[in-house]
Amino acid sequence: MPITTTRRRLLAGSAAALALPAFARAQGAIKPRLTAISQWSAGSDGAAITALGKKFEEKGGVWQHSPVPGFTTEMMNKLRAQIMAGDPPACSQLKGPEIAAWSKIAPTVDLDAVVAAAGYEKVVAPDLAKLHKPGGKWIALPLQIYSTNMLFLSKRAMDKAKADKIPVTWAEFNDLAEKMKAGGVPYPIANGGTRADDGQKFEAALAGISPTAYRAAIMNLDKKALEGPEIKAAFVQVRKIADWMDPNVGAQHFSTNLKRFVDGDMGMMIMGGWAQGVLRNAGFKFEDFIIAPGPSDNSKPVFLLNADAFIFWQRKEPDLQAGQTLMAQLVMDPAIQTMYSQITGSIPVRTDVDLSGEGWSDGQRRTAAALKDAIASNQAVLSLAHNMAQENGMTAAIIDVITEYVKNKTIKPEQAAIRLADAVESSR
Amino acid sequence: MTIAVSTTPGQPAAADWVRRLPEYLAIWVPLLLSAAHLIAFTLWTIWISFTPSTLVPVSGWVGLRNYSSVAASRNWQIALDNLLLFGSAFVLLSLATGLILAILLDQRIRGENLLRSIFLYPLAVSFVVTGTVWSWLLNPGLGIQKLVRDLGWTSFRFDWLIDRDMAIWTIVIAAIWQSSGFAMALFLAGLRSVDADLIKAAQIDGAGPIRMYRRVILPTLWPITITVIVIQLQFAISTFDLVRALTNGGPGIATQLPALVVYDLMFQRSLLGRGAAAAVLMLLILLAVLLPYAAWRYVQRRRAIDA
């Protein structure tokens, strides 16, 4: 543990904080306190944030975390209620364009000084930084990164298919799925039945076919791109995937079927890196599965970026303000990011963290390498299914079309493409 | 000699009133508070439905824009179709099941109390639990289909849960399981309160059991039937937790219901204005059921008074 680095960073952070009168009052004899809400209560997510809280307490703070279990929306309802009651938490989980949207309804903390003191801006992917400083100032801090299109391969299913090569393009992926099917894997694609799950299949397909088209159509909602041939091709690929999935999963969460995936009844899973944390937490071993970047037709990794973050809400209480500064410093700390990511299976936000050491999995190293490559080749894009590319309203409208298409095999790809363009048009 | 305690001559009537004050307070204060809440929140929701509110309520006026966009959305159209189908199927079937169960139980059989508890028991189970349990039972890979196939009938198919045309029927099944016991209890009470003289007179006239039920007993159950229909209908319109646990609106968006759409708009999509508009539309549907019922009750009462 590089404790010295942490201490030095903390000192630098406090020095910067002293420059601000608001923070100056907060320092001194006051015990930093942080009220935080997040959706992370159980499993690897719960373990990671608990560990973060311990670190906060070690630094002399009072950690008051209120988890709201369930989906992000449930957490947001609590946040909304607290903001409307004039009692926002000192910091809450929030991510993507929602940071910009929510920052308009209540005052947020200007984190520029703390971020500058930590030299954080240089080590964060530019697209990601943009999301966290919507008005030009840092008001939120990314905590960890996932790619939503990682490809998980079941070792036992690979054995059944007598295959050992990790597929890189969609064509290779489709070949392998066929081989698995022929080799006795009943469902070559592992899946859940939730909307996000269906959305992930589509975004992986489209971004894998053309990251440029993905950026134009999904991130920029460009009309021409939405009517372009890549969208139809993506729907064609999604239909193939849907045909290999187990239709019986109903509305189940993907994690319900992880055992079948490990056992080789399901072959490949397109899922975010968090599945690694969930798999490990469920007692499965790294020998059971392989993690690789999702299929990309130009063979260069495509990274569908999903980053969890904390937004900081303005509070007048000096102890809460001190707590916010301490929390911001902790979140940016490489040692803390390392600890956090090692528990959840994500990769650190800081691109300067070395993942070669112990405690990191091959999957995480591959993910980090994929991010680097994807940024270099401009193939790092923001995830739609996990609310990074669009605000909730638009995301939901698009995913309606996708999830209906996945579950209803009488809808033709051309029809789906038209419906997608219509849904975007009517939600603008 | 007896002394009347409460109406001793000479004591003012006010004392009586003061003594009963706690009773009045206990009844009227909560009643007024809840009425105020109900009315205030209804008015508030109606107001929100005309504003451009998204993440949080804001003032402003957008006219009927929220309503037209809800009405035009595919989710809402599917939800309305489903409500029509689910509402009528659920009400009619639970009515029929409840009535049959009540008639069977009414035959003075042994263990009636036990059976009655068993049939009523599902009502004590929350809809979330009902939905979850039925989602396992109806899941083709885990539940009934797998059981029958494992028993040897390998071509057996019961995959409604994942069939987008049939999925709405799985909700009907679970809802009937949940609430036909309730209909049964009401019908049973009605059957038991039928005038014994009436039945005897019919028996003397030589009516068989079927004829007796059809001509004598069932007609007296009419008011109870109306009550059951109204209660079940308002339940059907506001169904939320059952669908959320059972199919969550899926497969795809095939089992959307209005309450799910409201929740989705308000909290998933953060479109408070549109969500409120959908909620007001739901209220209108509910009124379409309740107002005729209120009118019917009014006519009934007038007739009773006139008679």
Side-chain angles (χ1 to χ4, degrees), chain B residues 2-9 11 16 19:
Chain B
T2 54
I3 298 167
V5 181
S6 60
T7 54
T8 320
Q11 274 214 346
D16 192 49
R19 208 173 49 245

Side-chain angles (χ1 to χ4, degrees), chain A residues 120-158:
Chain A
Y120 197 50
E121 183 128 21
K122 290 190 288 288
V123 293
V124 179
D127 269 349
L128 202 56
K130 234 185 327 188
L131 286 173
H132 298 84
K133 36 187 238 181
K137 287 186 183 311
W138 286 85
I139 57 165
L141 290 172
L143 175 68
Q144 57 176 349
I145 291 181
Y146 289 112
S147 171
T148 69
N149 65 331
M150 294 311 285
L151 182 61
F152 289 70
L153 297 145
S154 162
K155 282 269 179 69
R156 291 192 188 110
M158 294 283 274

